[in-house]
């Protein structure tokens, strides 16, 4: 452990030291480099070469057991030449010389075997060793074959060239390098490709295995105009085995939501069909146990949950994130713009075409300047912050989902709802109420008019009155639930018939009518010009920055402003407001206002050639700016990255900036020194200036704010009353509050149980049953049965197989027999809970073994298909007439009630979703 810590520390320092000198196409084991950059840059290179008719070709090679074959002596010599300290190399070499490998032979371990080659995987210094091998790989080809471009990511090597007829020489150069390094190429993973037909013919003529598509670091890479996605589809198909296991898993619902997106790794590389996304949604709904009759997967995953839960939305977002992170703005915008206006020289299956397809899926279009245009105006994919981009995506996604469920009459007006408000209200409910309310939101059939088409229901008459049943009748008409509607105001009652059914019947929150107008106004706020310098003959300035945000706790009513105050430390000149105004953009938060003020101050100093000292009371801004001043890069997908990139660009161009933290909202009288007094005074001045800028808005804004605030208040009141009615009605229904006559099941009464003839005095192990099912299984079931009917004997009643199985597992702690490649004891299958076996199947197995034991033992026990003695199993089932203890039957019913508020009235999927019972805890 100590060596690992020491090795990781020195590996990080060495890689950081070498980073400025490494080739740009060396990606592995470097800071801020990842696999997506390799295959995305390769895809853009293929796309650009296709558009310009360049015969781009490549050789992809992979090393066999690369870390095991790393030549230590060569690595140490190269590390010394690269400047790694000798004491580090000495300790590293000494540690490796003491490292032995043990091999398992049968059940035995061999003695340690020592080697002079290879480095252990997982060691930080081994990453440094592989990085040095990659450096040698690049330098070798730059020196011996400069007509090619080597690209590497750890042990995955690619060599690019525009001369496919010289590929044999490229491969010979590579082989000379691997021979010199004593490395082995994996022939199965080594092949060549070319984007042009003549180039592919030349490669075939030279004896290469030629591929038109391949897998590169997990991504599907296409090198021709033919569209393929086999790598991605194989990954999607691998998810099919996950859904049944996820369904039976005991993990909470919220954790299951995170289980499946790995199937869309590298989805930005290629397109998949809409049917593929539909299949993924169906599987996810199955895994979440939310695939009830009538439920819509797109509605559930895309709006009931955050849209990133939906596979298609997640694919679009991941595509945008990767393009922003890895793409060159000029290249991407030129390609997307050209394809939008009909250019045919770009491949229709390229990475930019995939990006364009996913933009258009959201209903966005591209203007003549290659900017994206949506309902709130135009913006650049690279200049917008990720939070605003995702907000715009969610707005567009609501319309996409609405269009896909418009065929359902009650959901035709879904575009007017507010999913964010709905999810906020849903998050405040208990877990049981959330589960029940999700069935309303996703369109599941909960009333008789819907069940008529998917269940054995003979009529659509309401269960609680003699009217025709419907969602509207259940919540707003049925007299059985009149007490649930007492809190509804008269004003809302008058509007109930006219409100969209998706609001009144399905529980979606209504959106304010001024919502679009409000955010359109915020998006149209322009940025002001850079102010002039009010003081002559000044080369260094001190500024105080601050931001002000109204209604910070209510996102739909936030509006913010900023201020930059110019202060003189010598007090020779009075402080003045250098710059102030309202915050532009859809993102209106106090932190963004503070950051915008800092950005304006830095831009002012950069434009005027001044040294700048910033005084800010926002700790987050101060901490982040100090990291940028020390050279930390800005990641484009980090929060507020658009403003940080502006600041980093100004700093990198020579603007001298310093920043200091000031205590916020301090009284000048509390100062302990003249410096603190000066800082508190001017920070208070900046705070007041930002507040005044927030108040100094025109009459148009205040009129819009008044209308928007009134609309928000009104819909919040209505949504609250509607949700309370729906929640109370749902609770009463789930708790079985209806007339006693209607509670009776739609089945006949069970026949009278026969007289009990008793069991033998001692347990019997029939040899016939033992031969088929195993002695351990038969012994446990016999012991359990004799104890139940002899020691805790009760009246003779009909007991279903499900009750007997639950009682057996809870009493013995064993999961019963399992039929997998023959009959087995669950004790012999430690991971039997992960098998794709439902509760009803386990019950059938147990019932069969129990009946066979009784048959082979010649014990006369009457069996019948009737209603058992149970409050939860209210349906016909396979039963045995046994003298059973009523308390044990009650305990079994209580176990069933943990998973369902209502009795099981038919052989539905709800019964099959029950988990394997747990043993009773000892008292």
């Amino acid at each position: 452990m100590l060596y690992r810590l020491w090795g990781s520390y020195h590996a990080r320092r060495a890689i950081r030291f070498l980073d400025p000198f490494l080739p740009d196409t060396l990606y592995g084991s470097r800071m801020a480099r990842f696999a997506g950059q390799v295959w995305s840059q390769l895809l853009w290179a293929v796309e650009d070469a296709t558009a310009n008719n360049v015969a781009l070709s490549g050789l992809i090679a992979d090393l066999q057991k690369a870390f095991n074959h790393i030549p230590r002596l060569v690595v140490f010599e190269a590390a010394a030449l690269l400047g790694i300290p000798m004491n580090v190399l000495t300790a590293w070499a000494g540690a490796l010389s003491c490292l032995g490998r043990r091999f398992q032979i049968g059940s035995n371990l061999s003695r340690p075997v020592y080697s002079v080659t290879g480095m252990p995987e997982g060691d930080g210094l081994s990453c440094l060793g592989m990085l040095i091998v990659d450096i040698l790989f690049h330098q070798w080809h730059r020196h011996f074959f400069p007509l090619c471009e080597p690209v590497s990511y750890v042990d995955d090597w690619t060599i690019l060239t525009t001369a496919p007829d010289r590929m044999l020489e490229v491969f010979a150069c590579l082989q000379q390098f691997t021979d010199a390094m004593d490395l082995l190429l994996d022939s199965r993973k080594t092949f060549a490709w070319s984007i042009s037909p003549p180039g592919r013919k030349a490669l075939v003529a030279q004896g290469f295995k030629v591929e038109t598509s391949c897998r590169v670091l997990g991504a599907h890479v296409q090198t021709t105009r033919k569209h393929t996605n086999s790598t991605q589809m194989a990954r999607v198909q691998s998810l099919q085995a996950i859904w049944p296991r996820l369904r039976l898993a005991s993990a909470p619902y919220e954790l299951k939501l995170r289980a499946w997106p790995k199937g869309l790794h590298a989805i930005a590389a290629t397109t998949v069909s809409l049917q593929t996304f539909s299949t993924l949604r169906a599987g996810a709904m199955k895994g979440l146990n939310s695939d009830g009759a009538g439920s819509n997967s797109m509605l559930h995953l895309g709006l009931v949950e955050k849209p990133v839960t939906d596979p298609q939305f997640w694919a679009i977002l991941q595509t945008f994130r990767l393009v922003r992170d890895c793409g060159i703005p000029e290249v991407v915008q030129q390609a997307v713009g050209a394809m939008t206006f009909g250019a045919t020289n770009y491949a229709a299956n390229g990475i930019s075409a995939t990006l364009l397809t996913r933009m258009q899926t959201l209903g966005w279009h591209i203007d003549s300047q290659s900017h994206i245009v949506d309902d709130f105006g135009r913006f650049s994919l690279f200049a917008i912050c990720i939070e605003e981009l995702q907000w715009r995506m969610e707005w567009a996604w609501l319309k996409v989902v609405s269009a896909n469920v418009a065929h359902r009459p009650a959901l035709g007006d879904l575009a007017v709802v507010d999913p964010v408000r709905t999810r906020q209200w849903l998050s405040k409910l208990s877990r049981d109420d959330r589960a029940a309310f999700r069935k309303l939101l996703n369109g599941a059939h909960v009333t008789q008019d819907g069940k008529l088409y998917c269940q054995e229901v003979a009529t659509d008459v309401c269960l609680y009155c003699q009217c025709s049943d419907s969602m509207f009748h259940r919540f707003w008409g049925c007299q059985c639930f009149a007490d649930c509607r007492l809190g509804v105001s008269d004003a809302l009652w008058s509007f109930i018939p006219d409100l969209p059914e998706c609001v009144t019947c399905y529980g979606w929150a209504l959106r304010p009518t001024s919502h679009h107008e409000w955010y359109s106004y915020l998006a149209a706020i322009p940025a002001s010009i850079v102010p002039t310098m009010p003081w002559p003959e000044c080369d260094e300035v001190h500024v105080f920055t601050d931001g002000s945000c109204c209604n910070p706790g209510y996102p739909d009513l936030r509006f913010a402003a900023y201020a930059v105050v110019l202060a003189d430390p010598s007090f020779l000149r009075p402080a003045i407001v250098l710059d102030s105004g309202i915050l532009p953009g859809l993102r209106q938060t106090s932190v963004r206002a503070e950051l915008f003020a800092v950005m304006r101050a830095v831009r002012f100093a950069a434009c005027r050639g001044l040294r700048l000292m910033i005084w800010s009371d926002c700790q987050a801004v101060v901490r982040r700016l100090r990291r940028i001043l020390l050279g930390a890069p800005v990641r484009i997908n980090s929060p507020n990255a658009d403003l940080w990139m502006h600041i980093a660009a100004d700093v990198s161009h020579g603007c001298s900036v310093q920043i200091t933290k000031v205590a916020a909202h301090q009284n000048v009288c509390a100062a302990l020194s003249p410096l603190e007094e000066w800082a508190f005074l001017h920070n208070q001045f900046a705070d007041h200036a930002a507040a005044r800028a927030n108040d100094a808005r025109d009459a148009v804004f205040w009129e819009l704010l008044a209308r928007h605030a009134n609309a928000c208040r009104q819909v919040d009141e209505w949504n609250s009353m509607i949700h309370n009615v729906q929640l109370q009605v749902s609770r009463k229904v789930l708790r079985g509050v209806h007339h006693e006559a209607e509670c009776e099941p739609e089945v006949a009464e069970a026949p009278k149980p026969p007289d009990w003839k008793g069991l033998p005095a001692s347990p019997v192990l029939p040899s016939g049953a033992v031969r088929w099912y195993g002695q351990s299984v038969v012994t446990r079931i016999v012991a359990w049965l004799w104890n139940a009917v002899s020691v805790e004997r009760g009246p003779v009643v009909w007991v279903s197989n499900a009750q007997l199985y639950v009682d057996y597992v809870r009493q013995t702690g064993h999961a019963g027999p399992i039929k997998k490649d023959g009959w087995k004891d669950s004790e012999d299958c430690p991971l039997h809970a992960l098998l794709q076996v439902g509760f009803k199947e386990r019950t059938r197995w147990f019932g069969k073994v129990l009946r066979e034991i009784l048959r082979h033992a010649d014990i006369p026990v009457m069996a019948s298909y009737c209603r058992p003695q149970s409050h939860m199993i209210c349906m016909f089932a396979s039963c045995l007439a046994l003298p059973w203890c009523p308390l044990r039957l009650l305990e079994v019913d209580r176990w069933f009630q943990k998973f369902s508020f209502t009795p099981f009235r038919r052989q539905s999927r709800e019964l099959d979703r029950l988990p394997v019972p747990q043993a009773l805890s000892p008292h």
Side-chain angles (χ1 to χ4, degrees):
M1 178 61 71
L2 184 62
Y3 168 73
R4 281 193 174 187
L5 295 175
W6 177 86
S8 298
Y9 170 76
H10 285 287
R12 282 195 297 269
R13 291 194 62 186
I15 293 173
R16 191 178 294 114
F17 165 73
L18 294 174
D19 192 74
F21 311 105
L22 298 180
D24 190 56
T25 54
L26 192 160
Y27 291 92
S29 303
R30 294 181 64 179
M31 297 180 295
R33 297 294 183 98
F34 53 92
Q37 293 172 327
V38 179
W39 54 260
S40 64
Q41 295 300 330
L42 179 58
L43 285 171
W44 269 303
V46 168
E47 181 180 83
D48 185 68
T50 302
N52 295 283
N53 293 319
V54 177
L56 182 67
S57 305
L59 178 69
I60 294 181
D62 189 62
L63 297 177
Q64 290 187 25
K65 299 180 180 180
F67 283 90
N68 288 339
H69 293 163
I70 291 178
R72 294 179 187 174
L73 181 60
V74 176
V75 168
F76 292 147
E77 291 285 352
L81 294 174
L82 290 170
I84 306 300
M86 189 56 64
N87 58 342
V88 175
L89 294 177
T90 303
W92 185 11
L96 290 179
S97 65
C98 298
L99 181 67
R101 297 182 179 92
R102 295 179 184 270
F103 299 90
Q104 183 173 354
I105 304 173
S107 60
N108 303 315
L109 282 178
S110 69
R111 293 180 179 180
V113 178
Y114 299 93
S115 173
V116 294
T117 61
M119 295 181 178
E121 294 189 47
D123 180 15
L125 286 172
S126 296
C127 296
L128 175 61
M130 195 66 221
L131 177 66
I132 293 173
V133 172
D134 287 344
I135 293 174
L136 298 176
F137 164 72
H138 282 258
Q139 296 302 322
W140 179 279
H141 285 84
R142 293 279 173 84
H143 180 75
F144 290 106
F145 209 99
L147 294 178
C148 67
E149 178 67 39
V151 181
S152 67
Y153 188 88
V154 192
D155 59 340
D156 289 271
W157 292 347
T158 301
I159 304 175
L160 302 178
T161 181
T162 57
D165 54 330
R166 306 291 298 274
M167 189 63 73
L168 198 58
E169 300 173 40
V170 173
F171 184 65
C173 184
L174 175 62
Q175 279 193 317
Q176 291 172 6
F177 173 74
T178 55
D179 291 342
M181 294 286 290
D182 200 18
L183 297 172
L184 295 176
L185 289 177
D186 190 340
S187 59
R188 297 174 302 171
K189 299 180 181 179
T190 301
F191 57 89
W193 56 266
S194 178
I195 67 170
S196 65
R200 290 191 289 274
K201 290 181 180 179
L203 295 176
V204 172
Q206 295 173 72
F208 286 101
K209 180 173 68 173
V210 178
E211 301 286 352
T212 57
S213 63
C214 59
R215 174 174 176 167
V216 176
L217 297 172
H220 185 79
V221 173
Q222 304 167 81
T223 58
T224 66
R225 289 179 179 266
K226 179 182 177 181
H227 177 260
T228 57
N229 56 9
S230 57
T231 303
Q232 195 65 55
M233 290 306 299
R235 187 174 288 116
V236 170
Q237 292 300 323
S238 67
L239 287 177
Q240 298 308 311
I242 292 180
W243 309 131
R245 286 183 289 172
L246 188 64
R247 186 190 197 97
L248 297 175
S250 59
Y253 172 87
E254 290 75 15
L255 290 181
K256 291 184 179 182
L257 291 174
R258 311 175 190 173
W260 62 267
K262 71 173 186 178
L264 296 178
H265 171 70
I267 189 63
T270 186
T271 57
V272 294
S273 66
L274 296 179
Q275 181 59 43
T276 300
F277 289 122
S278 297
T279 303
L280 283 171
R281 291 191 191 99
M285 291 290 283
K286 182 178 180 181
L288 294 173
N289 202 9
S290 299
D291 55 337
S295 60
N296 185 278
S297 59
M298 199 170 190
L299 190 60
H300 186 103
L301 298 176
L303 294 184
V304 177
E305 303 302 333
K306 291 183 178 179
V308 291
T309 310
D310 185 272
Q312 190 173 7
F313 184 94
W314 194 85
I316 298 172
L317 178 60
Q318 291 302 109
T319 302
F320 290 169
R321 291 177 66 93
L322 181 122
V323 171
R324 285 161 54 88
D325 211 347
C326 304
I328 302 173
E330 296 78 11
V331 174
V332 175
Q333 289 176 346
Q334 178 185 355
V336 171
M339 285 185 287
T340 302
F341 292 97
T344 59
N345 55 331
Y346 286 93
N349 62 341
I351 187 171
S352 297
T354 300
L355 171 65
L356 180 60
T357 300
R358 290 178 178 156
M359 286 180 183
Q360 293 171 340
T361 300
L362 296 174
W364 295 350
H365 68 273
I366 310 298
D367 65 6
S368 57
Q369 283 78 38
S370 297
H371 284 92
I372 303 173
V373 181
D374 70 347
D375 290 350
F376 300 97
R378 61 195 297 268
F379 63 94
S380 169
L381 181 62
F382 296 91
I384 193 173
C385 68
I386 190 65
E387 300 92 345
E388 182 175 336
L389 175 63
Q390 189 165 343
W391 189 94
R392 289 176 183 257
M393 289 177 61
E394 292 182 4
W395 171 270
W397 190 249
L398 173 61
K399 296 193 294 182
V400 174
V401 177
S402 177
N404 276 270
V405 299
H407 61 281
R408 301 179 67 165
L411 297 175
D413 296 323
L414 194 67
V416 303
V417 305
D418 191 333
V420 176
R421 276 181 166 83
T422 307
R423 290 193 293 268
Q424 288 174 347
W425 183 82
L426 197 64
S427 66
K428 299 175 184 177
L429 303 180
S430 65
R431 179 172 297 180
D432 293 338
D433 287 340
R434 282 200 304 271
F437 213 82
R438 280 194 291 263
K439 288 184 175 293
L440 284 182
L441 295 171
N442 67 18
H445 295 322
V446 298
T447 52
Q448 296 300 105
D449 59 329
K451 293 180 180 179
L452 184 64
Y453 300 101
C454 60
Q455 295 183 8
E456 297 177 3
V457 179
T459 178
D460 65 346
V461 175
C462 177
L463 293 174
Y464 314 104
C465 65
Q466 297 304 311
C467 300
S468 296
D469 202 7
S470 67
M471 298 285 280
F472 189 88
H473 168 78
R474 175 72 57 87
F475 293 120
W476 306 105
C478 186
Q479 292 304 311
C480 185
F481 305 105
D483 57 324
C484 300
R485 299 186 282 270
L486 297 178
V488 179
S489 65
D490 295 337
L492 177 58
W493 262 118
S494 63
F495 281 101
I496 285 293
D498 300 323
L499 290 177
E501 284 191 59
C502 56
V503 175
T504 58
C505 300
Y506 287 90
W508 288 97
L510 191 63
R511 189 178 67 227
T513 54
S514 56
H515 187 274
H516 183 271
E517 185 181 1
W518 171 258
Y519 282 102
S520 296
Y521 176 88
L522 296 178
I525 296 175
S528 57
I529 61 174
V530 178
T532 59
M533 179 62 191
W535 293 342
E537 299 179 359
C538 184
D539 58 356
E540 182 178 9
V541 293
H542 291 252
V543 297
F544 286 78
T545 60
D546 211 336
S548 174
C549 181
C550 292
N551 306 315
Y554 196 94
D556 280 344
L557 286 175
R558 287 178 187 159
F559 56 97
Y562 69 96
V564 180
V565 170
L566 186 61
D568 185 4
S570 64
F571 277 99
L572 297 178
R573 287 168 288 204
I576 61 173
V577 178
L578 177 66
D579 188 15
S580 67
I582 56 180
L583 179 65
L586 297 175
R587 294 279 300 169
Q588 299 283 316
T589 64
S590 57
V591 172
R592 188 169 175 85
E594 298 264 5
L595 177 58
F596 191 83
V598 171
M599 187 271 290
R600 295 284 294 179
V602 174
R603 176 55 54 90
F604 162 76
C607 292
R608 310 303 173 198
L610 304 172
R611 296 194 306 275
L612 180 68
M613 180 65 186
I614 302 174
W615 302 75
S616 174
D617 59 5
C618 183
Q619 181 65 52
V621 172
V622 172
R623 187 185 300 115
R624 181 78 181 275
L625 182 55
R626 284 175 176 170
R627 289 202 297 266
I628 291 177
L629 294 176
L630 293 174
V634 178
R635 296 186 177 181
I636 193 171
N637 291 320
S638 60
N640 296 311
D642 56 331
L643 301 181
W644 286 116
M645 286 192 296
H646 284 303
I647 294 173
D650 290 334
V651 170
S652 65
H653 285 87
C655 181
S656 176
V657 179
Q658 292 180 304
I659 190 167
T660 297
K661 172 69 172 66
V662 182
H665 308 298
Q666 296 293 318
N667 196 318
V668 178
C669 299
L672 301 178
S673 66
L675 176 61
E676 283 192 351
E677 181 180 358
W678 178 80
F680 292 168
L681 176 66
H682 289 88
N683 189 63
Q684 193 176 65
F685 185 10
D687 190 14
H688 292 166
R692 285 197 302 271
N694 223 1
D695 295 335
R697 298 172 182 256
D698 56 20
V700 174
F701 170 81
W702 295 114
E703 188 272 334
L704 173 60
L705 176 63
R707 285 192 292 107
H708 184 52
N710 183 62
C712 290
R713 179 188 58 79
Q714 189 68 70
V715 298
D716 285 345
E717 291 179 2
W718 287 5
N719 289 334
S720 178
M721 287 186 281
I722 292 172
H723 285 155
N724 285 332
V725 170
Q726 293 164 338
L727 184 60
Q728 290 183 46
V729 172
S730 300
R731 285 172 175 170
K732 291 188 69 174
V733 170
L734 290 175
R735 291 170 184 170
V737 181
H738 46 79
H739 299 296
E740 192 67 25
E742 295 160 349
C743 284
E744 291 299 320
E746 304 168 2
V747 294
E749 290 294 330
K752 183 180 178 180
D755 294 335
W756 177 248
K757 298 182 180 180
L759 294 175
S762 59
V764 177
L765 295 179
S767 58
V770 171
R771 180 170 63 89
W772 284 104
Y773 307 110
Q775 184 168 0
S776 60
V777 171
V778 175
T779 302
R780 290 194 183 99
I781 293 180
V782 166
W784 160 79
L785 180 62
W786 254 254
N787 176 77
V789 301
S790 301
V791 180
E792 300 184 36
R793 182 170 177 176
V796 180
V797 293
W798 293 109
V799 189
S800 66
N801 288 340
Q803 293 170 280
L804 293 172
Y805 175 67
V806 172
D807 185 90
Y808 170 79
V809 178
R810 289 172 62 79
Q811 294 292 335
T812 65
H814 300 283
I818 293 175
K819 189 176 183 181
K820 183 182 180 184
D821 300 328
W823 289 95
K824 297 180 180 179
D825 190 351
S826 59
E827 294 297 308
D828 299 330
C829 302
L831 301 178
H832 66 87
L834 299 180
L835 296 175
Q836 301 174 23
V837 180
F839 178 82
K840 291 194 294 184
E841 185 71 15
R842 291 178 182 270
T843 299
R844 281 193 292 269
W845 290 343
F846 178 79
K848 178 176 177 60
V849 175
L850 177 59
R851 288 194 304 272
E852 289 297 301
I853 290 174
L854 295 173
R855 184 177 68 85
H856 284 283
D858 293 328
I859 299 174
V861 175
M862 182 67 69
S864 178
Y865 188 73
C866 59
R867 275 200 57 184
Q869 183 72 25
S870 172
H871 296 293
M872 292 299 295
I873 309 296
C874 297
M875 60 184 178
F876 276 88
S878 296
C879 302
L880 296 178
L882 296 169
W884 214 261
C885 176
L887 294 179
R888 293 176 70 154
L889 293 177
L890 183 60
E891 286 295 324
V892 171
D893 277 346
R894 287 175 178 171
W895 182 85
F896 282 118
Q897 286 175 344
K898 293 180 181 179
F899 308 97
S900 176
F901 287 111
T902 58
F904 299 100
R905 300 191 179 278
R906 56 177 54 86
Q907 293 289 350
S908 63
R909 285 176 292 184
E910 292 296 329
L911 189 62
D912 209 23
R913 294 168 181 167
L914 298 177
V916 179
Q918 299 292 326
L920 287 171
S921 56
H923 297 287

